[in-house]
């Protein structure tokens, strides 16, 4: 069984994102980066599936980007991925171009399962997995918080929806996108990270994949969001209720 | 040409968020001269279709195979309808229903998509869409190339559309069962029953954070204060992870986005991922024992103290 896990490089969630004065993007000079947290959860799940189902499961981490993306792919190798593959791409991504590229990777690699984050915490788009499933005409299970094999090629997936926890059954091959509660990703140990530095990362060009992913979403500009509220400190519950009633008039 | 608004429903009525999407659809149509049609999908839709037709002409895709909102089938129908109607845009309220289905429909249509749109303008004949990124720390202005444009909008950012003077026409969409995919089997939905208003629709939301250590405690403080204010109860990720509150109550970047008149944050530190879901509330109250908690920096009113002491006092004051 082959599992592909796309891993996106995103600014660390501990970073304060600042917008460049000209609005063309974020100040990225000194940012720390990480594997998109949802992708790390997807990778953890793939590794757990391998641990449960044995050595015939192969987990491949996929990066789509320039050479910088190799650092996240090395983290993926250190966490336990069997292989890492980078699609060399220096343009700007949108979910559409990512889905196109991943579909080409899927045609080449022929995985049984693509496990990926439900969204990347930079653009917060929440589209690439669904688009990929649509392009491949595969089953999809989004926002997964529990994945169980009910048969060798049939999975029960619990999905976190606005209405509650929905359960569906899907057949492989399929695309599953992960939500936060699926698992707690393991850390890559320092020795594993050192070892991963020496492991090969396969690189393939878009041309070799036969795709020329043209983004369809164009970023016109980014604006910093500031909240202008000045907090008025109140002394006690009585004063708060008074303010809410007679000053803010919201109750 | 058509602007298609996809309406989520509860089996009887269209969900109110769909009317915000309809507002956007009508406004875009006003400028472009396109028609607006509502699309409803499901099984046994008589009452839903009647409800929807009060607001716009309705396309009704009613078939037993559409009884549950499975993405493969719904996306296929939406794409087929969009093609048949030559849709210029497909618009829906940004819920997990739309987030699951619309990107898949977009892929089938070779179309671009923008999600969680909170505003828009037209410049040089192009539709400029505003949507948050980086957990709401940034607002992006984007354009989508090609047609149709697939858009989900945040209901809280747009008013609800009102009914028409005359009900709209109802058109039956012929569902060809033989062409529908059969990729997933629906098993069921599990949710924690609550009599409180829906989070995204409530005028008042009371949310609790990590200090509440059990479901009972959450109910006794957050739940009771919510009831005293006729509001909905929400929470941070910390409580969902701990199994204290169900995931559908989570507010934030990866939970629900709310913008009520009043948001009361009880023992919530104010992580950016939580703020992403509530910072556009009109009035924000923070109650926290740590005077330095970041939540205070975005609050309208702040009260430093122990939630276990302050919440009962608030309930008492509200009863006066
Ligand atoms: C990718 C990603 C996505 C995320 N998405 C979300 C999301 O959608 N929603 C979300 O909420 N979080 C989300 N998070 C988690 C977020 O980063 C925070 O960890 C979380 O919001 C913290 O919850 P909290 O405020 O309840 O807990 P804490 O940060 O632990 O804060 C508890 C607060 O309670 C106060 N307190 C303690 N005891 C008392 C008392 N007795 N009385 C009064 N105050 C007290 C403390 O001073 C503190 O400020 C996400 C994180 C990541 C990495």
């Amino acid at each position: 069984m082959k599992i592909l896990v796309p891993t996106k490089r995103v600014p660390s969630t501990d970073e304060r994102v600042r917008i460049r004065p000209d609005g063309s993007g974020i100040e990225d000079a000194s940012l720390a980066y990480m594997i998109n947290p949802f992708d790390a959860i997807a990778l953890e799940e793939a590794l757990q599936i391998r641990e449960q189902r044995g050595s015939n499961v192969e987990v491949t981490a996929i990066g789509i980007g320039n050479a910088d993306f190799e650092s996240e792919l090395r983290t993926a190798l250190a966490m336990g991925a069997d292989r890492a593959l980078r699609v060399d791409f220096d343009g700007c991504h949108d979910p559409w171009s990512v889905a196109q590229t991943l579909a080409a990777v899927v045609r080449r690699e022929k995985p049984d399962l693509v496990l990926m984050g439900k969204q990347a915490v930079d653009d917060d788009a929440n589209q690439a997995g669904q688009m990929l499933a649509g392009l491949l005409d595969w089953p999809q299970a989004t926002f997964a918080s529990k994945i169980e094999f009910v048969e060798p090629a049939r999975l029960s997936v619990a999905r976190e929806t606005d209405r509650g926890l929905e359960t569906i059954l899907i057949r492989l091959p399929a695309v599953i996108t992960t939500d936060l509660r699926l698992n707690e990703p393991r850390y890559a140990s320092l020795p594993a990270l050192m070892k991963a530095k020496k492991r090969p990362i396969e690189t393939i060009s878009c041309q070799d994949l036969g795709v020329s992913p043209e983004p369809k979403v164009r970023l016109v500009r980014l604006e910093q969001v500031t909240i202008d509220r000045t907090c008025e400190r109140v002394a006690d519950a009585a004063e708060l209720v008074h303010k809410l009633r007679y000053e803010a008039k919201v109750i | 040409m058509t602007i298609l608004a996809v309406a989520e429903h509860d089996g009887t009525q269209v969900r109110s968020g769909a009317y915000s999407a309809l507002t956007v659809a009508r406004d875009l149509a006003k400028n472009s001269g396109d028609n607006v049609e509502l699309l409803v999908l499901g099984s046994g839709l008589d009452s839903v279709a009647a409800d929807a037709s009060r607001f716009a002409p309705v396309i009704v895709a009613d078939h037993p195979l559409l009884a549950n909102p499975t993405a493969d089938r719904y996306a296929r129908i939406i794409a087929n309808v969009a093609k048949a109607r030559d849709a210029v845009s497909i618009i829906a309220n940004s819920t997990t229903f739309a987030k699951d289905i619309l990107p898949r429909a977009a892929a089938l249509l070779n179309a671009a998509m923008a999600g969680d749109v909170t505003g828009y303008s037209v410049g040089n004949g192009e539709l400029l869409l505003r949507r948050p990124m980086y957990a709401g720390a940034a607002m992006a202005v984007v354009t989508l190339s090609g047609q149709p444009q697939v858009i989900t909008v945040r209901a809280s950012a747009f008013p609800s559309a009102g009914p028409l003077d005359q009900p709209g026409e109802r058109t039956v969409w012929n569902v060809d069962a033989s062409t529908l995919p059969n990729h997933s089997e629906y098993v069921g939905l599990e949710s924690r029953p609550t009599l409180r208003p829906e989070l995204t629709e409530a005028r008042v939301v009371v949310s609790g954070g990590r200090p509440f250590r059990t479901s009972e405690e959450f109910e006794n403080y957050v739940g009771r204060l919510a009831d005293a204010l006729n509001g909905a109860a929400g929470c941070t990720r910390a409580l969902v992870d701990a199994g204290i509150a169900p995931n559908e109550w989570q507010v934030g970047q990866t939970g629900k986005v709310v913008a009520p008149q009043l948001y009361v944050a009880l023992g919530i530190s104010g992580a950016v991922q939580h703020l992403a879901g509530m910072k556009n509330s009109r009035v924000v109250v923070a109650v926290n024992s740590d005077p330095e908690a970041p939540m205070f920096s975005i609050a309208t009113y702040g009260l430093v103290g122990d939630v276990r002491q302050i919440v009962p006092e608030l309930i008492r004051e509200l009863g006066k």
Side-chain angles (χ1 to χ4, degrees):
Chain A
M1 177 178 180
K2 280 179 91 167
I3 308 177
L4 294 190
V5 184
T7 50
K8 187 175 186 183
R9 173 182 166 88
V10 298
S12 161
T13 46
D14 296 331
E15 294 274 351
R16 254 183 86 107
V17 169
R18 302 237 128 264
I19 311 300
R20 281 187 219 128
D22 66 1
S24 61
I26 59 168
E27 300 274 17
D28 47 9
S30 58
L31 275 184
Y33 286 84
M34 68 194 294
I35 297 182
N36 174 38
F38 292 95
D39 301 347
I41 292 169
L43 179 57
E44 174 64 35
E45 195 67 14
L47 298 174
Q48 289 186 15
I49 291 173
R50 189 184 65 193
E51 281 154 13
Q52 286 155 18
R53 301 179 65 84
S55 55
N56 61 344
V57 177
E58 184 195 68
V59 177
T60 304
I62 312 284
I64 304 174
N66 60 21
D68 290 345
F69 277 64
E70 296 199 348
S71 96
E72 282 64 41
L73 286 172
R74 290 199 191 281
T75 309
L77 286 170
M79 282 173 70
D82 298 295
R83 286 168 61 209
L85 173 71
R86 179 172 69 86
V87 180
D88 190 38
F89 183 64
D90 213 9
C92 92
H93 297 283
D94 69 348
W96 166 257
S97 57
V98 168
Q100 292 288 335
T101 309
L102 287 175
V105 174
V106 165
R107 283 190 278 270
R108 192 182 114 112
E109 294 286 325
K110 305 194 171 40
D112 303 281
L113 177 61
V114 180
L115 255 171
M116 54 199 283
K118 75 166 181 180
Q119 73 192 69
V121 297
D122 50 1
D123 63 12
D124 284 331
N126 197 334
Q127 297 171 16
Q130 298 88 313
M131 286 183 167
L132 174 64
L135 292 174
L136 297 169
D137 194 22
W138 280 12
Q140 76 181 49
T142 50
F143 329 140
S145 68
K146 194 170 190 187
I147 302 173
E148 282 172 326
F149 280 83
V150 291
E151 284 168 28
R154 201 149 172 256
L155 304 174
S156 162
V157 182
R159 307 179 50 235
E160 294 199 354
T161 76
D162 292 343
R163 308 272 144 223
L165 206 59
E166 180 190 290
T167 303
I168 60 173
L169 293 168
I170 54 169
R171 275 189 189 286
L172 299 180
V175 177
I176 299 181
T177 76
T178 58
D179 217 315
L180 288 172
R181 257 131 343 239
L182 184 59
N183 59 49
E184 190 79 50
R186 67 195 69 186
Y187 284 99
S189 70
L190 203 56
L193 280 168
M194 297 308 284
K195 252 202 237 147
K197 284 211 166 115
K198 298 191 199 88
R199 304 246 317 258
I201 291 179
E202 300 159 51
T203 309
I204 183 167
S205 67
C206 287
Q207 203 177 357
D208 288 342
L209 271 178
V211 287
S212 47
E214 280 291 315
K216 286 172 178 283
V217 181
R218 186 173 67 91
L219 180 70
V220 179
R221 65 175 180 278
L222 269 185
E223 294 166 7
Q224 190 90 42
V225 174
T226 49
I227 307 165
D228 51 359
R229 275 198 202 101
T230 39
C231 180
E232 184 180 342
R233 303 277 174 142
V234 294
D236 55 25
E239 188 187 353
L240 178 57
V241 170
H242 184 87
K243 297 257 180 202
L244 293 176
R245 271 196 186 129
Y246 303 107
E247 195 176 273
K249 300 195 171 78
V250 283
I251 57 172
Chain B
M1 284 185 289
T2 297
I3 296 179
L4 203 58
V6 180
E8 195 179 346
H9 58 82
D10 61 9
T12 314
Q13 277 186 321
V14 169
R15 290 199 192 275
S16 65
Y19 296 125
S20 298
L22 185 58
T23 294
V24 175
R26 280 185 188 168
D27 189 49
L28 295 179
K30 203 171 64 200
N31 292 318
S32 62
D34 296 309
N35 323 311
V36 173
E37 287 185 281
L38 271 175
L39 170 61
V40 291
L41 305 95
S43 176
L45 290 180
D46 289 349
S47 138
V48 171
D51 183 44
S53 69
R54 297 190 296 124
F55 293 85
V58 188
I59 304 170
V60 187
D62 191 338
H63 194 281
L65 287 176
L66 300 176
N68 298 300
T70 47
D72 52 350
R73 291 179 184 163
Y74 274 46
R76 181 67 62 82
I77 302 264
I78 292 168
N80 288 348
V81 172
K83 278 184 209 151
R85 288 293 200 272
D86 207 0
V88 284
S89 38
I90 304 175
I91 304 181
N93 177 22
S94 176
T95 59
T96 50
F97 167 86
K99 286 178 180 174
D100 183 39
I101 296 164
L102 285 200
R104 188 176 178 114
L108 301 181
L109 290 161
N110 213 341
M113 171 163 175
D116 289 313
V117 167
T118 58
Y120 55 86
S121 58
V122 178
N124 291 330
E126 267 189 320
L127 182 59
L128 300 166
L129 299 162
R130 294 172 69 79
R131 61 175 302 272
M133 282 177 40
Y134 298 98
M139 191 59 80
V141 177
V142 301
T143 60
L144 303 178
S145 63
Q147 252 186 31
Q149 302 191 339
V150 181
I151 297 166
T152 66
V153 300
R154 287 214 174 139
S156 58
F158 302 98
S160 288
L164 303 169
D165 298 336
Q166 294 285 326
E169 200 182 321
R170 280 188 247 172
T171 316
V172 173
W173 179 260
N174 272 322
V175 177
D176 179 355
S178 68
T179 63
L180 280 185
N182 189 18
H183 283 326
S184 49
E185 194 181 315
Y186 186 89
V187 179
L189 181 73
E190 193 187 306
S191 58
R192 195 179 294 183
T194 171
L195 296 170
R196 300 196 181 103
E198 162 62 34
L199 256 179
T200 51
E201 289 158 19
R203 276 192 81 253
V204 176
V205 174
V206 179
S207 286
R210 204 180 305 268
F212 305 101
R213 285 166 303 206
T214 60
S215 305
E216 293 71 44
E217 214 176 46
F218 183 84
E219 209 34 51
N220 283 339
Y221 292 92
V222 184
R224 281 198 190 151
L225 184 57
D227 291 341
L229 289 163
N230 291 319
C235 66
T236 64
R237 174 184 169 190
L239 296 195
V240 185
D241 284 355
I244 293 165
N247 81 279
E248 63 269 24
W249 296 2
Q250 179 180 312
V251 172
Q253 180 190 19
T254 52
K256 288 185 179 168
V257 177
V258 302
Q261 291 294 306
L262 172 63
Y263 189 89
V264 182
L266 302 172
I268 297 178
S269 60
V272 283
Q273 293 90 357
H274 185 78
L275 303 188
M278 47 65 65
K279 65 183 169 192
N280 291 323
S281 307
R282 191 162 86 76
V283 172
V284 175
V285 169
V287 181
N288 200 303
S289 52
D290 172 10
E292 306 294 326
M295 195 71 206
F296 286 120
S297 69
I298 75 129
T300 324
Y301 301 111
L303 180 47
V304 177
D306 187 335
V307 284
R308 285 187 188 73
Q309 186 202 325
I310 287 168
V311 171
E313 287 173 9
L314 280 171
I315 294 172
R316 227 173 297 131
E317 287 297 325
L318 287 166
K320 280 187 189 165

